[in-house]
Amino acid sequence: MKPRWNHVVSLSVLAIVIALQSVAAAPIVEIRLNTRFAMAPASVRVVVVIEPHAANRTLRVELDGDGMFSSSDITLEGDGEKRLHELYFKGVPAGRYTILAAVLTAHAVRGSAEESLNVISMEQ
């Protein structure tokens, strides 16, 4: 029995639809740390990856924890902006920290990401 072309086409279209649905969309913002643990006083390098979009106006990166709070805002150029942004937090004392990166539009938060960091002291 020969397959009918309409069945072959239907099955092909169904397979393509299923494959496209299984592909995850790129996150709006992502934080990449080279370590989750550091020795105090730490210099922490944070790389933030942003999915370009015309509405992107500001990247806000915060380090908040037991011994320190620091925040930086970077102006974004919409969909013409570079994807990678590198920031450094220097002299971070011992403690547990949360690093938050948020991409802001003119009126709202478009996306955010969060990572944890532990800075350990060797002093007793």
Side-chain angles (χ1 to χ4, degrees):
M1 195 166 140
K2 293 183 181 179
R4 293 187 175 158
W5 283 109
N6 61 348
H7 291 305
V8 172
V9 171
S10 295
L11 289 175
S12 298
V13 169
L14 180 61
I16 291 170
V17 170
I18 291 171
L20 289 175
Q21 288 178 345
S22 66
V23 175
I28 293 169
V29 61
E30 177 185 351
I31 299 171
R32 295 184 184 165
L33 298 175
N34 59 351
T35 185
R36 300 281 188 258
F37 296 92
M39 299 299 292
S43 289
V44 180
R45 177 180 173 254
V46 179
V47 176
V48 180
V49 182
I50 299 172
E51 188 63 31
H53 191 277
N56 293 353
R57 294 291 172 256
T58 304
L59 169 61
R60 178 167 295 146
V61 181
E62 298 176 351
L63 176 115
D64 188 12
D66 298 336
M68 178 179 176
F69 175 83
S70 183
S71 177
S72 293
D73 282 1
I74 298 170
T75 301
L76 301 175
E77 302 289 330
D79 56 2
E81 185 64 46
K82 63 184 181 179
R83 292 177 47 87
L84 299 177
H85 296 269
E86 186 176 50
L87 296 96
Y88 289 89
F89 295 100
K90 296 183 178 182
V92 179
R96 292 176 183 248
Y97 294 88
T98 299
I99 298 171
L100 175 69
V103 174
L104 311 173
T105 67
H107 306 290
V109 175
R110 188 160 172 271
S112 64
E114 188 176 297
E115 290 291 341
S116 297
L117 172 71
N118 289 312
V119 179
I120 302 163
S121 175
M122 293 302 288
E123 296 179 12
Q124 296 288 352

